[in-house]
Amino acid sequence: MKEKTIKTIKGISIAVLVMIAIVTCLETYFWSERWQNVEWNEEIIGWQRRIIVSHIATTYLLVAVMVTFIINIFRGLKKGVIFSRCNTIVIYAGAVIYALNSFYAYTAMNAATGRYVHSIDTDMCIYPLLIIILGLLHKLAVEASEENNLTI
Amino acid sequence: MEANSSRPLRWLKGLTVAVSIYCCIYIVLLTVRAMFYIGWINIGPEPVKWIEGHEGLQCTVLSIWWFTGIAFNVLMLTFTINSTKKLKAGTLFPASNVGILFGCAGAHLLYKIATQNMPILFDARRSITLDLGYDELLITTFICIFAIVYKIAGMIAEENSLTI
C-alpha cells in the first residue's frame, strides 16, 4: 500500500476518533444536565431508571464498538491486513447495538418526562439495515482480499 | 469466490429490496401527510392553520419538511441500488456512494430541524428554533462517521485493486 494512502487513512481514523471523543463528552455533559431535570414518577421510577441507564450504556457501547473498529484498522495497517474478519463482526455488533440505542433513546425521552410509553421509530430499522449492508460489503471485501493473498 | 460470496450477495440483494420498499412506503406516506396538511385530503390530521403575515414562514417549513424527507429517502434508495449495481460490476465500495452518504446526513439534519418546527404550522409557535436535541445530532454524526469509514474502505479496495 502507498505511504500516502496509509497517512490519509491514519489521518481520517484520528479525525473519527476525535469526533467520537467529542460525541462522548457531549453525551456525558447532556445527561448530567438532563438527569437533574428528570420528572421522577414514584410508580414507574424503576422503569425510568432502567430505560435511562440502558440508553446511556448502549451509547457508550456504541462508542466502544466504533473505537474497536478504528483500533482494528490501525492493527491491520501494521500487519498489512486491512479487511479483517473481526471487523465484520464488529460492524454487525454495531448494527444490533445501534437498534437498541435508538429504542432506548426514544423511550428515554418519555421516561424523562414521567410517561410510561415505549417508543418505536422507523429510524430503529433503517440505520441498522444500512450498517448491515456495510457489514456484508466488508465481508465480501475480506473474502476478496483473502483470495487475492492466495493468488500467485 | 463465487461459491463463497453467494450468501452475502443474496443477503445484500434481499436487504436492498427491503430498504427500497421501506423508502418507497415512506415517500408515499410523507406525500400523503403533506396533502393532509395542505388540505387536499380532508380526512386525517388537521390542516395547517394559515396565519396572516406568517404564511411565508409556514410554507417554508412545510416545503423543507417534505422536500428533505423525500431527499433523504431518495438518497438512501440510491445508495442501496448503487451498491448492488456496482457490486455486479465488481466494485465493492464505489466512491460515488460517499457523497450520497454525506447528502443523507445533511438531509437528515434538515428534516429533523423542519420536524422540530412543525408547531409553526398549527400556530403553536411563531419563530424558527434550531434546538435539535442531542440524539438527532448524534445520529447525524453517526451517518458522517459511516460515510468516512466507507471512504476508508473504498480507498483501501482501490489501492489493492480489490474487485469481486
Side-chain angles (χ1 to χ4, degrees):
Chain A
M1 200 182 293
K2 282 180 195 165
E3 194 63 35
K4 197 184 161 193
T5 315
I6 294 175
K7 271 187 184 170
T8 317
I9 292 168
K10 278 184 182 171
I12 294 173
S13 303
I14 290 166
V16 170
L17 282 177
V18 170
M19 272 168 84
I20 293 168
I22 293 169
V23 166
T24 315
C25 291
L26 276 173
E27 164 78 4
T28 314
Y29 169 74
F30 276 96
W31 266 111
S32 62
E33 287 279 302
R34 271 187 205 169
W35 194 262
Q36 291 160 3
N37 300 320
V38 173
E39 293 167 25
W40 297 111
N41 182 342
E42 282 304 318
E43 288 172 17
I44 52 164
I45 196 162
W47 175 81
Q48 280 180 297
R49 279 189 187 143
R50 208 166 47 243
I51 292 293
I52 293 170
V53 169
S54 302
H55 171 49
I56 298 168
T58 48
T59 307
Y60 286 128
L61 263 177
L62 203 55
V63 167
V65 162
M66 286 194 288
V67 172
T68 312
F69 184 85
I70 301 289
I71 288 171
N72 280 345
I73 287 180
F74 278 120
R75 275 187 189 161
L77 280 175
K78 274 185 188 168
K79 287 180 192 168
V81 183
I82 299 296
F83 293 109
S84 60
R85 281 192 182 271
C86 54
N87 254 354
T88 311
I89 298 161
V90 169
I91 295 173
Y92 290 149
V96 174
I97 295 167
Y98 185 87
L100 285 172
N101 179 260
S102 297
F103 168 72
Y104 286 125
Y106 287 112
T107 310
M109 292 294 158
N110 300 325
T113 49
R115 285 179 296 154
Y116 186 73
V117 180
H118 290 92
S119 287
I120 294 172
D121 195 273
T122 47
D123 288 358
M124 264 175 64
C125 323
I126 198 68
Y127 294 121
L129 277 182
L130 283 180
I131 300 171
I132 290 171
I133 287 177
L134 179 72
L136 288 168
L137 288 170
H138 193 274
K139 195 177 178 185
L140 285 173
V142 171
E143 286 170 0
S145 62
E146 280 174 358
E147 196 164 288
N148 270 11
N149 289 339
L150 287 174
T151 314
I152 51 165
Chain B
M1 188 65 207
E2 276 302 308
N4 286 338
S5 63
S6 60
R7 209 168 142 218
L9 271 176
R10 269 204 310 272
W11 272 94
L12 261 176
K13 278 177 195 164
L15 282 177
T16 307
V17 173
V19 172
S20 306
I21 291 169
Y22 166 87
C23 290
C24 291
I25 292 172
Y26 205 99
I27 288 168
V28 171
L29 288 178
L30 207 70
T31 310
V32 170
R33 206 173 173 86
M35 284 173 171
F36 279 132
Y37 288 149
I38 296 168
W40 289 351
I41 305 171
N42 289 322
I43 17 156
E46 56 171 322
V48 179
K49 267 187 195 169
W50 298 108
I51 309 150
E52 248 187 85
H54 276 83
E55 293 102 331
L57 183 67
Q58 287 180 307
C59 221
T60 312
V61 170
L62 187 61
S63 338
I64 292 176
W65 171 77
W66 181 78
F67 185 73
T68 50
I70 298 282
F72 178 67
N73 283 284
V74 168
L75 284 171
M76 273 206 300
L77 202 63
T78 317
F79 170 81
T80 44
I81 292 171
N82 208 12
S83 295
T84 343
K85 234 182 189 178
K86 296 273 174 158
L87 203 62
K88 277 179 191 164
T91 315
L92 279 163
F93 303 99
S96 55
N97 267 353
V98 179
I100 293 173
L101 282 171
F102 278 116
C104 268
H108 174 87
L109 195 67
L110 281 174
Y111 177 66
K112 290 296 174 182
I113 290 174
T115 310
Q116 204 76 354
N117 283 291
M118 287 305 260
I120 290 174
L121 302 182
F122 308 102
D123 201 18
R125 210 177 48 230
R126 291 199 177 186
S127 59
I128 293 273
T129 176
L130 293 175
D131 180 25
L132 254 183
Y134 168 73
D135 297 309
E136 300 306 343
L137 287 175
L138 192 72
I139 291 173
T140 312
T141 316
F142 282 154
I143 304 175
C144 288
I145 291 175
F146 185 81
I148 294 168
V149 167
Y150 198 91
K151 169 93 184 156
I152 295 175
M155 279 168 67
I156 300 164
E158 199 181 344
E159 183 84 16
N160 294 303
S161 315
L162 210 62
T163 50
I164 59 159

